[in-house]
């Protein structure tokens, strides 16, 4: 089965999610903002956020790699970096309850975007699609995303399709001026016939979805 256009390079994104002990969340955020610059610039940090709505005491960060060999080299370098391990990793490790990572590609029809300004909020929406991959649900999903973009109330930052982790998962990262701006836009979208039609067509391929509101950290490139 044809899956449509594919990227012509090995670039992928690692999505890392940490569950932090509730009593340690404030301390974790302070340490991350203070010491995260110790991380050697061997890979590109796309963004670093903490959850505010939808889930609590979680942080999510996204890293960009040229290919899997690049990631392996970075992980080896970090493991032997005394400052990184001693001043940051060894301190925050007891604060974490669990870690989860995924490897994902940007879908071929999406380029990683940036917000028009700093100071907004991000929404991370996870769609669990039916098995079959983009060959089954890709076009309908793209139409639903574009329908929301066309309303103009939200800014698309990226659409990521998992390669490692729970398969047939798509993460969509949106940006809005504020939670209230997002809420008003959603209400308008629900009354837009274009959005309703596109969602109705794509939801037949959907098994579940969930979302969280993300606040960018001071050390995050995406703010």
């Amino acid at each position: 089965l044809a899956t449509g256009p594919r990227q012509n390079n090995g670039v992928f994104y690692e999505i890392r999610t940490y569950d932090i002990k509730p009593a340690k969340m404030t301390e974790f955020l302070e340490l991350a903002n203070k010491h995260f610059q110790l991380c050697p610039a061997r890979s590109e940090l796309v963004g670093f956020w903490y959850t505010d709505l939808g889930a609590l005491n979680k942080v999510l960060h996204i890293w960009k790699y040229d290919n899997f060999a690049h990631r392996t080299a970075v992980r080896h370098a970090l493991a032997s970096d005394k400052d990184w391990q001693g001043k940051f990793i060894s301190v925050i490790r007891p604060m974490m309850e669990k870690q989860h990572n995924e490897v994902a590609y940007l879908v071929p029809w999406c380029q990683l975007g940036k917000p028009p300004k700093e100071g907004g909020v991000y929404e991370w929406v996870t769609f669990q699609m039916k098995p079959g991959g983009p060959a089954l649900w890709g076009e309908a999903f793209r139409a639903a995303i574009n329908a929301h973009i066309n309303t103009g109330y939200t800014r698309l930052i990226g659409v990521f399709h998992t390669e490692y982790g729970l398969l047939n998962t798509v993460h969509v990262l949106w940006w809005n001026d504020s939670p209230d701006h997002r809420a008003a836009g959603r209400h308008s979208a629900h009354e837009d016939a274009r959005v309703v039609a596109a969602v109705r067509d794509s939801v037949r391929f959907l098994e579940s979805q969930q979302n969280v509101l993300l606040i960018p950290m001071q050390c995050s490139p995406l703010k």
Side-chain angles (χ1 to χ4, degrees):
L1 293 176
T3 58
R6 302 182 185 183
Q7 65 182 55
N8 56 10
N9 56 48
V11 172
F12 66 86
Y13 298 82
E14 183 176 8
I15 302 163
R16 301 181 69 91
T17 305
Y18 299 162
D19 283 45
I20 310 301
K21 295 176 181 178
K24 294 293 184 179
M25 187 63 181
T26 299
E27 185 179 356
F28 177 93
L29 296 178
E30 290 174 351
L31 284 168
N33 282 318
K34 180 179 179 180
H35 293 302
F36 209 73
Q37 72 274 10
L38 292 172
C39 182
R42 300 185 178 101
S43 58
E44 180 183 344
L45 175 64
V46 174
F48 201 146
W49 303 267
Y50 63 91
T51 56
D52 189 52
L53 293 172
L56 296 176
N57 303 306
K58 289 179 180 286
V59 296
L60 182 148
H61 41 123
I62 303 175
W63 298 87
K64 180 181 179 181
Y65 292 98
D66 296 333
N67 48 47
F68 287 97
H70 179 208
R71 180 185 183 274
T72 298
V74 169
R75 299 300 295 176
H76 282 315
L78 291 176
S80 60
D81 188 289
K82 293 182 179 179
D83 278 346
W84 177 246
Q85 294 295 328
K87 296 180 180 180
F88 186 64
I89 296 299
S90 63
V91 179
I92 66 167
R93 188 176 290 120
M95 300 179 184
M96 296 189 289
E97 293 188 326
K98 64 179 180 179
Q99 299 171 272
H100 177 71
N101 76 331
E102 299 168 285
V103 166
Y105 295 104
L106 277 174
V107 296
W109 44 268
C110 172
Q111 294 184 346
L112 193 64
K114 293 184 178 180
K117 62 181 181 180
E118 294 185 3
V121 295
Y122 292 79
E123 183 182 9
W124 181 255
V125 190
T126 299
F127 299 88
Q128 186 58 42
M129 309 302 292
K130 291 183 178 179
L136 177 68
W137 44 257
E139 287 304 314
F141 188 87
R142 179 180 182 180
I145 295 298
N146 284 336
H148 284 84
I149 294 172
N150 292 337
T151 63
Y153 81 89
T154 188
R155 174 68 67 95
L156 179 66
I157 303 299
V159 181
F160 304 88
H161 178 210
T162 55
E163 178 72 9
Y164 285 95
L166 187 58
L167 298 181
N168 295 295
T169 301
V170 184
H171 300 290
V172 183
L173 183 61
W174 302 96
W175 178 91
N176 284 280
D177 278 324
S178 68
D180 286 321
H181 179 255
R182 183 258 180 200
R186 290 287 291 174
H187 288 310
S188 297
H190 290 162
E191 298 175 356
D192 189 309
R194 299 167 299 173
V195 175
V196 172
V199 170
R200 186 173 292 158
D201 185 48
S202 66
V203 76
R204 57 198 172 102
F205 302 112
L206 180 66
E207 293 195 336
S208 66
Q209 66 184 95
Q210 60 181 351
N211 68 338
V212 292
L213 190 73
L214 299 175
I215 306 298
M217 295 176 59
Q218 294 174 14
C219 59
S220 176
L222 284 177
K223 289 186 173 63

